[in-house]
Amino acid sequence: MPRVLLVAAVAITAVTRLGWLGLIEFENDEAWALTVASEIARGQAYPLVGIGSSLGIPNAPFFVYLMALPGLVGRNPALATGLIGLLGTAAVAATYGFASTLFDQVTAVSAALLYAVSPWGIVYSRKVWGQDALPLFVTLGFWALFASLLTGRCRLIAPGVVLLTLATQLHPTAFFLAAPAFVLVVGAIAQGWPRSWRSIRWLGLGLIGAAIVESPFLVWQTRHGWPLLDAVRHLARDPGRFDLTAARAAGSAIAGSGYPALAQVSNLWLPAGLVEVGLFLGGVALVVWRMVQPGPTAPRLGALSLLVWLAAPVLAQIHHSVPIYPHYFIVLYPACFVVMGVAVSALWGLGRRYDVPIFRGLAVVAVAAPVAFGIVAFQNYLGALQRGAVRPDFGVPLARQEALLDAADQLAGGGPVFFGAHDSLAPTLDYLGDGRWRIFDDQHGLRLPSSDHVSALGFSEPASLGGRLAARWFGAERAKTLTLTTWSQVALYRLAPGDVEADPGYHVLDVAFDNGMTLTGYRLASDSARQRLLIDLHWRFTGVPAARPPTVFNHLVGPRGETVAGIDGLAYDPADWRAGETGLDEFDLAWPSAPGPYHLQVGLYDYPSMRRYDVVSPAAGDAVDSIDLGPVGLTSSTGR
């Protein structure tokens, strides 16, 4: 029966971790990690560090090299997530072996089944995050250290130390596990007395392996002045606060439902969570009882180490100066489920010892209920992902991002695709498109391709500045609206060559300034009711952009040459500049109280020097530092 239940636990784990990979979470950090991993897989880079962390410094490099393995096969994020799912599945199987070493098969089977259906355990096995790979390395590392203590096989100390060192490279919270590891190693050395040198020798070998594992990251730190120490000192100086946030987040990671945090679903897991809380508290009490009971030292030290494993990450974060999240407690896996298994085993043992069937029934229900509720809750969660009923923290499911890529590529018909975004879609679409799309920040305006081919234009937020400009001037070319999630829609346009110039409100120009920018045209829209003039300037970028972008000025000039109104603004974002394409700037100018007539003058200047850029080859009699767009007035027109 234990083997059958183990197979069931592994099967549930495999289905929940490896199924429906098109519905995985794929946002900025995942795209960043896979971009680096792809460069490694292609032999283009061999970094000493990984992607950035919330501390403002890069993480250690182990995870991006781990993700380079699926990158050897292809760039599809499902491949990388599949590897994370395989690691998660192996972690559940290893939990069985780990719990068997410490306790018994009932504990082991119960721990594996409870881990298999854990909502946060599933969520943290379906994403390309370094911390999602933690459980297998933590489980194997502690399995080796516990076995060295309980069986006297001191050679297991070396792989245990190396595996836990790899865990610290996946997420800094693994450093909290140094406390229980210390108890185990010291206990193993003491158990080997008077031949402790054997354990010390294997510990030394493990530390050498750990140093080798850490050496790339340490080399990078040395070359860059140890920013890690600066970050730690900064955290130490921050007053922070003491509260129970860490305890609540740890409780959520252990027995809570992660599904409502990511999808628009009800908490169907709640009854099972309450059962697990009871099992956890009961299991902790039993482990404490085992620790204080007289008997062999090794099992008592093992119980102490298990308790320290559970307590250290929480106590270390009771005082904190940064936000605390449930994923900071992935390092508790699988210890928390093993402790629950101890409680189940105790109930089963009472039933067998005193021949009281109700205790055995309670033991079965204590495991079967979470399994049943867990499967139903996962199906409900999966349905929400398929409907796009996700929370913003989840982002857009991978399959819907891929559908967007296909739709836009079909519209473009082999031509360029320009996509405006300023959220998590920007880096993910850049990765998924392997750089073939032009992603620009739609908060800073609109970018258009300089192409003789059909092109596609899209926006992740149609209400952004770029999205509003496109809707105003290209409304007739709008091809479709794709619903990505319940809170996100994408507007797609199909632009034929000459669509911009063919607009009846568009005025073609070719005025080059000596900073490398050319005013290729403009469009005006006015609203007499609001007394506003909308100025839409089209610039072509040439040459190398200045690190400090120029400022555009728009002046309304009266009959006597006096400036009666104006509005200025930066011409472009230096980080969002591409040579050869067209950028659009929009200015909303308040109309003076007098009706006019007025002329509109446009130009560029440097700030703060206020030096104006000159027009290249101005016409005879024209100004050298601006272009006169002619007379303008207010009408009821609001654009195309």
Side-chain angles (χ1 to χ4, degrees), residues 104-119:
D104 52 57
Q105 285 196 329
V106 175
T107 299
V109 167
S110 302
L113 284 168
L114 293 172
Y115 189 2
V117 298
S118 164

Side-chain angles (χ1 to χ4, degrees), residues 349-427:
L350 284 174
R352 293 189 62 181
R353 179 180 302 175
Y354 299 108
D355 195 23
V356 181
I358 189 172
F359 286 117
R360 281 180 288 178
L362 286 174
V364 171
V365 170
V367 176
V371 169
F373 279 101
I375 292 173
V376 172
F378 175 70
Q379 290 177 327
N380 193 40
Y381 171 65
L382 202 64
L385 300 186
Q386 291 170 329
R387 298 190 306 272
V390 296
R391 305 288 182 191
D393 283 347
F394 186 93
V396 179
L398 175 63
R400 291 180 177 242
Q401 295 187 48
E402 292 174 333
L404 168 60
L405 260 77
D406 290 341
D409 284 338
Q410 288 179 10
L411 279 179
V417 177
F418 274 46
F419 195 86
H422 56 271
D423 51 21
S424 61
L425 272 180

Side-chain angles (χ1 to χ4, degrees), residues 20-321:
W20 303 276
L21 292 179
L23 299 179
I24 62 173
E25 194 174 356
F26 190 66
E27 296 189 275
N28 178 62
D29 285 352
E30 298 90 307
W32 188 359
L34 292 188
T35 297
V36 177
S38 179
E39 292 173 351
I40 296 172
R42 294 175 177 181
Q44 298 171 342
Y46 300 100
L48 298 178
V49 293
I51 67 171
S53 69
S54 57
L55 296 178
I57 59 173
N59 285 302
F62 174 50
F63 182 66
V64 292
Y65 280 91
L66 185 65
M67 291 298 99
L69 296 178
L72 295 172
V73 180
R75 290 174 55 87
N76 191 332
L79 294 171
T81 306
L83 177 57
I84 296 294
L86 286 174
L87 296 177
T89 303
V92 171
T95 296
Y96 175 87
F98 170 65
S100 296
T101 300
L102 268 68
F103 299 103
D104 52 57
Q105 285 196 329
V106 175
T107 299
V109 167
S110 302
L113 284 168
L114 293 172
Y115 189 2
V117 298
S118 164
W120 277 120
I122 292 172
V123 167
Y124 292 142
S125 297
R126 292 178 58 84
K127 187 172 181 179
V128 183
W129 260 14
Q131 51 265 42
D132 283 19
L134 270 173
L136 179 61
F137 295 92
V138 170
T139 304
L140 293 177
F142 273 117
W143 190 1
L145 293 184
F146 271 97
S148 71
L149 172 67
L150 299 176
T151 67
R153 290 179 288 176
C154 55
R155 64 180 179 275
L156 294 175
I157 293 176
V161 170
V162 172
L163 286 163
L164 292 180
T165 302
L166 288 173
T168 64
Q169 292 228 343
L170 293 171
H171 198 261
T173 52
F175 281 105
F176 301 143
L177 302 180
F182 177 81
V183 173
L184 291 168
V185 171
V186 171
I189 293 173
Q191 285 285 104
W193 181 263
R195 305 181 66 183
S196 297
W197 60 269
R198 297 175 57 194
S199 297
I200 294 174
R201 182 183 64 184
W202 287 107
L203 172 61
L205 185 61
L207 292 175
I208 291 173
I212 294 173
V213 166
E214 292 288 355
S215 59
F217 188 55
L218 296 178
V219 167
W220 185 89
Q221 290 288 334
T222 301
R223 290 177 178 175
H224 293 82
W226 287 92
L228 176 61
L229 296 181
D230 291 339
V232 171
R233 281 194 289 265
H234 175 75
L235 290 175
R237 288 194 302 266
D238 196 308
R241 63 182 186 273
F242 285 95
D243 58 28
L244 296 178
T245 301
R248 290 192 294 268
S252 178
I254 291 171
S257 175
Y259 302 144
L262 299 175
Q264 298 168 21
V265 294
S266 56
N267 188 1
L268 300 179
W269 169 259
L270 181 59
L274 296 175
V275 171
E276 289 198 343
V277 168
L279 290 176
F280 179 77
L281 295 176
V284 167
L286 289 168
V287 173
V288 171
W289 176 255
R290 177 172 178 168
M291 182 184 68
V292 300
Q293 286 298 297
T297 301
R300 295 167 63 194
L301 283 175
L304 173 62
S305 300
L306 193 61
L307 293 172
V308 174
W309 181 355
L310 292 170
V314 179
L315 294 178
Q317 299 179 81
I318 288 292
H319 176 267
H320 60 98
S321 55

Side-chain angles (χ1 to χ4, degrees), residues 612-633:
R612 289 191 179 187
Y613 293 101
D614 289 340
V615 175
V616 178
S617 302
D622 287 351
V624 299
D625 58 2
S626 64
I627 176 70
D628 192 328
L629 300 185
V632 295

